[in-house]
Structure formats: structure tokens, C-alpha cells
Amino acid sequence: PASLPADYAAVAAAHALQGYYVIALAAKDVGRLGDAALHAAPRTELEAGLHFAGLLLFRNELKPTSAAAIAELKAGGVRTVMLTGDNAQCAHYIARAAGLTAEHGTVLVATLEDEDDAALPPQPPEAPPVQVVRWRPMADGGASAVAPLSTAEVETALAAGADSRGGGGGGG
């Protein structure tokens, strides 16, 4: 919509990198709809023509004991990983605060993208697009202009890093 700032994605990513959950707020006047009509309306119709109202921020704080517990696990030789449903930028903030990643280490964001490689064999018109995983640095929220890495390139870099650390892997 016209009310949406052009840089909303960058603003939202910047907040998330500081540990905030970011929720966009929007509204529209639907007139006088009764409950039955409102519940019967298709979601796509209700969500069309919205007016951007702003961003709602919730601070995502690390539990006070988490960093110490992770440091103790690492000291004991336990490989620590984080699985989360948070967006990538907020997860990045929490991982750094918890000591899961090195302060200046590289964090990669994976996206699933349509492959447009001309070297692929021709696909039938009705076939779904071929998709590949692309990896980009998190440094700017994952929207880097740096050329993406393939999964094979990431695996090679990880293997080289594990070899240089004595095969341990799993560090930030």
C-alpha cells in the first residue's frame, strides 16, 4: 500500500538484529459487517487494501542463565546448536548473546529460490520451477548484495574450518 515506507524491510530487519520481535500493523474500514459476514469473508479479501499503521516491537530477552549454561556445555566438549521459530535476524541476536556464535563470526541465512541456471535441462512448461538453497551473510540482515553461496560451497567451507580446528566443528 501507499502508506508502507519504501525501507520497511530494512527497518524491520534492523530492529530484529537488536533482539526485537517485529510485527507489522495494518487496518482498513470494512464497513458495518456482522460477525457472520466477517467470519464468512475470504481472508484474501479481508487482507486486501490495508493501510500500514506501524511496527510493533517486543523485546526478546535471553534468559539470565542461558549464556553461562551454554559456556559450560561448550567447556565440556558438547556441541551446542539452536533451533528456533524466530526470524533469522532475531535468532542471530539471541545466538550472539548466548555465546553460540563468535562475536565477529560469519552467520549465513538460507533461502529457497527458483533456479534460473541455463545449464539445467529444459523443463516441461507445467513443471514446477527447480528450486535451490542459496546462502547469504547475515551481516546486513541477510539481504546482502554479495553473491550467494551454494550449499556445496558452504559444506566445503565448513569442512575446511573443522579441519583447521582439529575436526571439532560446531563453533561459531
Side-chain angles (χ1 to χ4, degrees), residues 1 14 42-43 54 106 114 122 153:
R43 182 176 177 172
T106 300
D114 290 348
E153 291 168 317

Side-chain angles (χ1 to χ4, degrees), residues 7-147:
D7 64 345
Y8 82 94
V11 170
H15 286 303
L17 281 168
Q18 296 302 312
Y20 289 95
Y21 291 116
V22 181
I23 300 172
L25 302 174
K28 78 173 182 178
D29 184 355
V30 294
R32 295 183 53 93
L33 290 179
D35 284 348
L38 189 60
H39 289 288
R43 182 176 177 172
T44 54
E45 181 181 313
L46 293 172
E47 292 179 356
L50 295 171
H51 176 77
F52 177 74
L55 298 173
L56 181 62
L57 307 176
F58 291 96
R59 185 77 175 163
N60 187 4
E61 295 291 340
L62 186 66
K63 292 178 185 169
T65 57
S66 296
I70 289 167
E72 190 174 334
L73 289 168
K74 284 181 162 186
V78 177
R79 179 175 179 246
T80 56
V81 297
M82 179 174 77
L83 301 175
T84 181
D86 288 347
N87 77 23
Q89 293 86 9
C90 200
H92 176 70
Y93 170 84
I94 292 296
R96 287 267 162 91
L100 286 167
T101 60
E103 183 63 29
H104 299 289
T106 300
V107 175
L108 300 175
V109 177
T111 56
L112 189 61
E113 300 175 6
D114 290 348
E115 177 62 273
D116 56 1
D117 188 349
L120 288 172
Q123 302 293 314
E126 67 279 357
V130 174
Q131 294 191 308
V132 295
V133 175
R134 302 271 191 233
W135 299 86
R136 290 184 174 79
M138 172 61 79
D140 60 358
S144 177
V146 174

